[in-house]
Amino acid sequence: MTSRLMLLDSASLYFRAFYGVPDSVTAPDGTPVNAVRGFMDIIAKLVSTYRPADVVACWDDDWRPQWRVDLIPSYKAHRVETVVAGGPDVEEVPDRLVVQVPVIREALGVLGIPVVGTIQAEADDIIGTLATRAQQPVDIVTGDRDLFQLVDDARDVRVIYTARGMSNLEVLTDEAVVAKYGIHGAQYADFATMRGDTSDGLPGVPGVGDKTAATLLQRHGDLAGILAAAETGEGMSAGVRAKLDAARPYLAVAPDVVRVATTLDLPEPDARLRVPDAAAAAAFAEAWGLGSSLRRACDAIAAVAG
């Protein structure tokens, strides 16, 4: 069996865990641990199902990098709770989740899964860099469609998409992206740039939706080809040409915001799964009231690593 690297979009997963498990689940001291338990169950499910040899938890050290905001000020602006001079800004996150994030990091340490993040970079950028430089097949676990841009059949990079729930995971290869959107994974960043994304504060090109964006990419290959064709009106209606021309200031900067980084200077994490220390895991689980969730994650890792 081919050795695979699994890259976790950590925030995407712990938000899913938080909303998927009742927040009445608490530790002995009353601290909510529903997201911690849910996150451990997610890891158990992923490791058991896909049997990776290596796992990295990719982290949002900066969920809204200033360099992206400088290009598009509306980028994730609706999710800012507190503006911090010199950044990063504080994201609006439920208080009962905020207190669990450090516990999730500790739990990952107990499992032996490294956490990787860096300044002025989102988890997406960590994933993009590690996936690009990997010398093995890669599984990217996320509920974020932006990471479809990394799907690459030639290198066996695929996305395990969680948006439909952990009991209904989708494995997206390039063939699946084509079937879903009519474009290849390598075209997805340009597709998302034109279509926009209200959840990220990206306006897109007004009047250009999924269908038009896909048709333009099918005809012209990429955004540069589309804009070149718009100058002559080749392969598009006058109306679409006018919409693209009006959006040129946005299109001059948006691709750099949407495209994930692939060349960050990151250390090489020791991501090989190893059998977790049973005594340390049991003590941690008892201290935080994690029930059997941590044990299930340990057992899943032990079954693969052992």
Side-chain angles (χ1 to χ4, degrees):
M1 181 178 294
T2 304
S3 170
R4 302 193 71 88
L5 166 63
M6 178 172 282
L7 302 174
L8 306 177
D9 183 359
S10 301
S12 172
L13 297 180
Y14 64 62
F15 269 97
R16 172 164 292 281
F18 178 76
Y19 289 110
V21 179
D23 68 0
S24 56
V25 177
T26 60
D29 67 356
T31 302
V33 291
N34 58 315
V36 187
R37 282 200 187 190
F39 199 94
M40 295 301 99
D41 284 335
I42 286 172
I43 288 176
K45 170 72 179 288
L46 292 169
V47 171
S48 297
T49 303
Y50 301 103
R51 303 183 67 82
D54 305 87
V55 179
V56 177
C58 302
W59 214 260
D60 279 324
D61 277 14
D62 190 341
W63 68 281
R64 187 177 182 247
Q66 187 61 44
W67 62 268
R68 283 191 166 107
V69 177
D70 289 342
L71 293 172
I72 298 183
S74 63
Y75 182 65
K76 295 186 178 180
H78 60 295
R79 288 155 54 182
V80 175
E81 181 176 89
T82 305
V83 175
V84 178
D89 295 333
V90 177
E91 184 179 11
E92 188 175 19
V93 177
D95 291 343
R96 292 179 71 82
L97 174 55
V98 170
V99 297
Q100 298 185 64
V101 174
V103 186
I104 291 171
R105 290 189 69 132
E106 286 187 60
L108 289 165
V110 171
L111 295 176
I113 295 175
V115 174
V116 178
T118 194
I119 59 170
Q120 298 182 33
E122 301 175 51
D124 287 9
D125 302 313
I126 306 299
I127 290 170
T129 296
L130 294 180
T132 299
R133 77 185 192 191
Q135 300 298 307
Q136 65 196 105
V138 178
D139 286 336
I140 297 165
V141 185
T142 186
D144 185 351
R145 295 178 299 176
D146 285 343
L147 289 169
F148 293 174
Q149 65 186 271
L150 297 172
V151 170
D152 184 344
D153 284 0
R155 298 184 57 246
D156 198 2
V157 177
R158 60 191 190 179
V159 166
I160 298 171
Y161 190 47
T162 64
R164 296 170 61 191
M166 293 306 298
S167 61
N168 196 16
L169 296 170
E170 287 185 88
V171 178
L172 293 179
T173 60
D174 195 60
E175 180 181 2
V177 175
V178 171
K180 187 180 287 284
Y181 297 106
I183 56 161
H184 294 282
Q187 298 172 300
Y188 191 85
D190 286 345
F191 175 78
T193 295
M194 288 186 286
R195 180 196 59 202
D197 188 342
T198 56
S199 68
D200 280 342
L202 296 173
V205 178
V208 173
D210 288 21
K211 185 175 180 180
T212 300
T215 299
L216 289 169
L217 286 165
Q218 290 162 7
R219 290 177 181 171
H220 305 291
D222 58 18
L223 184 57
I226 291 168
L227 292 176
E231 292 183 0
T232 63
E234 178 187 351
M236 66 186 69
S237 68
V240 170
R241 179 185 182 186
K243 291 170 184 175
L244 291 169
D245 284 341
R248 280 184 184 271
Y250 162 78
L251 293 173
V253 296
D256 289 334
V257 175
V258 175
R259 193 174 299 113
V260 303
T262 58
T263 58
L264 295 178
D265 183 14
L266 298 176
E268 191 65 43
D270 182 4
R272 182 66 45 162
L273 288 181
R274 297 177 177 85
V275 178
D277 183 294
F284 187 83
E286 182 177 2
W288 286 102
L290 299 181
S292 59
S293 60
L294 185 61
R295 177 179 53 77
R296 284 191 293 270
C298 288
D299 289 347
I301 290 171
V304 173

